[in-house]
Amino acid sequence: MIDLVPDNTLLHHLCMFEDQKMKNRIEIVEDNDVVRDGLQLLINSMSDHTVVGAYESCEMAIKNLDKDSPDIILMDLDLPGMSGIEGIQRIKKRYQDIHIIVITVHEDSEMVFEALCAGASGYITKNANHSRLLDAIDEVQSGGAPMSSKIARMVVSSFQKNQNSPLTSRETEVLELLAKGKSYSVIADELFIHKETVKSHIKNIYFKLHVNSKADALEIARKNKLI
Amino acid sequence: MIDLVPDNTLLHHLCMFEDQKMKNRIEIVEDNDVVRDGLQLLINSMSDHTVVGAYESCEMAIKNLDKDSPDIILMDLDLPGMSGIEGIQRIKKRYQDIHIIVITVHEDSEMVFEALCAGASGYITKNANHSRLLDAIDEVQSGGAPMSSKIARMVVSSFQKNQNSPLTSRETEVLELLAKGKSYSVIADELFIHKETVKSHIKNIYFKLHVNSKADALEIARKNKLI
DNA sequence: AATCAATCACCCAATCTTAGGGATTTTTAA
DNA sequence: TTAAAAATCCCTAAGATTGGGTGATTGATT
């Protein structure tokens, strides 16, 4: 191949400038050395991404955030010291524009929702192949929220109610208004029924859910996605 | 190529059986004739999918559900007569195992969340290319929840709190417990503070949110994702 | 030094909730 | 068609919750 571009200093600087200006700056937080190095190699192999920092703990990553100024962080959840969840919270609190993609083995709903609530923009499980991972970075960069398919289903399912609710639709309606903090009389007005009817419904709800207080009813209802 | 399989009737029947047994049965609900026919052609071009019904309204689709027994329904939201949202609700109520993928132009959060709450397993906007659409069908079939990237981001963002809350962290804590339906005294116990302190916090919350009732506070708080 | 957050305290009056006990009409399902 | 389930309304009474007002202390941050 013929080198069409002479290696002069000016051009070199321009290229460096391009590098720094255009490349997506990625930071990695992962305690397993092999995985971390693998990720780094993989990402650096892409022309438009560059790893600006790779650390084994959130503490280290946070310490270097100003220096590294990443656009995207790939974050494990099991980490020595500060957990990934807490790391996400802290980072998002100070640097709202940084996108964090969780890379983890955990598929349990608790972890998933904690991570998303903490501010993660994506959630990829570690069984994902390399191209999926690189896609995820691009997806985040272009305004998406990459998720492994199981995770996406969990997330979408979280919007959907339990179809096998023991409650009638009217009772569910009442419970939903109760969940909004409305009083019996307001609920009565909104449903165009008597306040005493609301009370009856609530009595039946408590009976069906085996509880005897509003807080318990709401807890059971939310846990079982009745509302 | 040598035809290793002689064309006998038994085998033909076996193949037909295979066809019916193995192919993913897709139903389409879309009022635009051109789009509907296009979708049908596209899907039938895949060896492992077959369109078992294509209708211009939910009413028609629902009428033929037993006959068609689709695995997956592609559903538009703007439809004459019954809306797509209501269609999803009705279909999911009776046939919980059918997966519904919304295919629409709408990217507004209201539509998205209504559709997901109603029971949609995926949400693809109409600017998606053909391969993305076919991928979506496979994704649903294998337990995923295909979403256009904007939609995925909206969904993920819905888990995240507003970072610019006017409330202090303590006030947020109190409001969250209030949202769970807990009484002042229970909140006080859980936060190890005096009941009167809880009342003070709540008064401050009401002041900051310009409301003067629990229901209004919760409404504002949820609308602004303070909790 | 000044501000803000969080904490605690007291008073009053109105409203709401809970827990019993009923009863009637409509809808739905067998 | 009949029986069951759901939705509706009613009563009493004690006790708890709530909203509004006022004020004070401590500690952290700026």
Side-chain angles (χ1 to χ4, degrees):
Chain A
M1 287 288 272
I2 297 166
D3 190 355
L4 295 173
V5 183
D7 182 14
N8 67 45
T9 316
L10 176 60
L11 189 64
H12 184 240
H13 279 159
L14 279 171
C15 287
M16 288 304 288
F17 181 74
E18 275 292 285
D19 267 16
Q20 307 228 309
K21 185 77 176 184
M22 302 303 288
K23 279 196 178 184
N24 293 318
R25 304 172 63 83
I26 317 285
E27 187 170 273
I28 300 169
V29 189
E30 160 70 59
D31 62 329
N32 183 301
D33 296 347
V34 177
V35 176
R36 189 176 62 249
D37 292 348
L39 282 173
Q40 184 159 8
L41 277 171
L42 176 67
I43 292 164
N44 277 334
S45 75
M46 306 301 289
S47 60
D48 50 350
H49 301 312
T50 179
V51 174
V52 293
Y55 308 99
E56 58 197 79
S57 74
C58 285
E59 287 85 344
M60 286 300 294
I62 290 173
K63 203 170 291 177
N64 289 285
L65 267 185
D66 280 318
K67 174 174 72 65
D68 295 340
S69 74
D71 304 306
I72 296 170
I73 301 176
L74 305 185
M75 168 102 66
D76 191 10
L77 292 183
D78 294 305
L79 294 167
M82 189 189 304
S83 77
I85 303 285
E86 196 183 336
I88 295 172
Q89 278 169 339
R90 299 218 184 170
I91 292 168
K92 290 298 281 190
K93 191 161 186 174
R94 290 242 166 271
Y95 310 84
Q96 293 179 224
D97 294 340
I98 296 179
H99 287 300
I100 301 176
I101 303 175
V102 171
I103 312 279
T104 182
V105 294
H106 292 286
E107 287 191 322
D108 47 299
S109 61
E110 212 172 319
M111 277 291 183
V112 173
F113 293 116
E114 276 184 30
L116 295 182
C117 290
S121 299
Y123 197 110
I124 307 289
T125 45
K126 276 187 174 163
N127 51 28
N129 59 36
H130 288 173
S131 74
R132 177 70 189 106
L133 222 160
L134 295 171
D135 284 351
I137 294 174
D138 291 336
E139 220 172 314
V140 155
Q141 202 65 29
S142 59
M147 287 171 277
S148 302
S149 49
K150 259 193 194 172
I151 305 300
R153 177 62 68 87
M154 285 171 54
V155 167
V156 165
S157 296
S158 76
F159 288 95
Q160 293 160 11
K161 284 188 198 169
N162 182 350
Q163 297 278 322
N164 304 321
S165 172
L167 304 181
T168 69
S169 62
R170 198 55 155 176
E171 285 163 354
T172 304
E173 234 173 339
V174 170
L175 195 55
E176 273 166 358
L177 293 173
L178 210 54
K180 289 182 179 171
K182 311 213 172 179
S183 69
Y184 288 16
S185 35
V186 170
I187 295 174
D189 287 350
E190 293 199 7
L191 296 181
F192 304 107
I193 58 181
H194 200 276
K195 196 204 299 196
E196 293 298 331
T197 308
V198 174
K199 288 167 68 171
S200 280
H201 285 310
I202 290 177
K203 270 186 285 189
N204 291 334
I205 292 167
Y206 288 0
F207 174 75
K208 288 185 181 177
L209 301 186
H210 310 295
V211 298
N212 58 350
S213 78
K214 180 169 65 172
D216 289 345
L218 291 180
E219 191 188 337
I220 298 288
R222 293 201 167 111
K223 193 175 293 175
N224 295 291
K225 301 183 72 53
L226 307 182
I227 56 171
Chain B
M1 287 290 270
I2 297 165
D3 190 356
L4 295 172
V5 183
D7 182 13
N8 66 46
T9 314
L10 176 61
L11 188 65
H12 184 242
H13 280 160
L14 280 171
C15 285
M16 287 304 288
F17 180 73
E18 275 291 284
D19 266 17
Q20 306 227 310
K21 185 78 175 179
M22 302 304 289
K23 279 198 178 185
N24 292 318
R25 303 172 64 81
I26 317 286
E27 187 171 272
I28 299 169
V29 189
E30 159 70 60
D31 62 328
N32 183 301
D33 296 346
V34 177
V35 176
R36 188 176 62 249
D37 293 347
L39 283 173
Q40 184 158 8
L41 277 171
L42 175 67
I43 292 164
N44 277 333
S45 75
M46 306 300 290
S47 61
D48 50 349
H49 301 312
T50 179
V51 174
V52 293
Y55 308 99
E56 58 198 74
S57 75
C58 286
E59 286 85 344
M60 287 300 293
I62 290 174
K63 203 169 291 176
N64 289 284
L65 267 186
D66 280 318
K67 172 174 73 64
D68 295 340
S69 75
D71 305 305
I72 296 171
I73 301 176
L74 305 185
M75 168 102 67
D76 191 11
L77 292 183
D78 293 307
L79 294 167
M82 189 189 304
S83 77
I85 303 285
E86 196 182 335
I88 295 172
Q89 279 170 339
R90 298 218 184 173
I91 293 169
K92 290 297 281 189
K93 192 162 187 174
R94 291 242 167 271
Y95 310 84
Q96 294 180 224
D97 294 339
I98 296 180
H99 287 298
I100 300 176
I101 303 175
V102 170
I103 312 279
T104 181
V105 294
H106 292 286
E107 287 191 321
D108 48 299
S109 61
E110 212 171 321
M111 277 291 184
V112 173
F113 293 116
E114 276 184 31
L116 295 182
C117 290
S121 299
Y123 197 111
I124 307 289
T125 46
K126 277 189 174 161
N127 51 28
N129 59 37
H130 288 174
S131 74
R132 178 70 189 108
L133 223 159
L134 295 172
D135 284 350
I137 294 173
D138 292 335
E139 220 172 314
V140 155
Q141 202 65 28
S142 59
M147 287 171 277
S148 302
S149 50
K150 258 192 194 174
I151 305 300
R153 176 62 68 88
M154 284 171 54
V155 167
V156 165
S157 295
S158 77
F159 288 95
Q160 292 160 10
K161 283 187 197 170
N162 183 350
Q163 297 279 322
N164 303 320
S165 172
L167 304 181
T168 69
S169 62
R170 198 58 155 177
E171 285 162 354
T172 304
E173 234 172 339
V174 170
L175 196 54
E176 273 166 359
L177 292 173
L178 211 54
K180 290 182 178 170
K182 311 214 171 177
S183 68
Y184 287 16
S185 37
V186 170
I187 295 174
D189 287 350
E190 293 200 9
L191 297 181
F192 304 108
I193 58 179
H194 199 276
K195 194 205 297 193
E196 294 298 333
T197 309
V198 174
K199 289 173 65 172
S200 283
H201 286 310
I202 290 177
K203 272 185 280 193
N204 291 335
I205 292 167
Y206 288 0
F207 174 74
K208 288 184 181 177
L209 301 186
H210 310 295
V211 298
N212 56 351
S213 79
K214 181 168 65 173
D216 289 345
L218 291 180
E219 189 188 340
I220 298 287
R222 293 202 167 110
K223 193 176 293 175
N224 295 290
K225 302 187 70 53
L226 307 182
I227 56 171

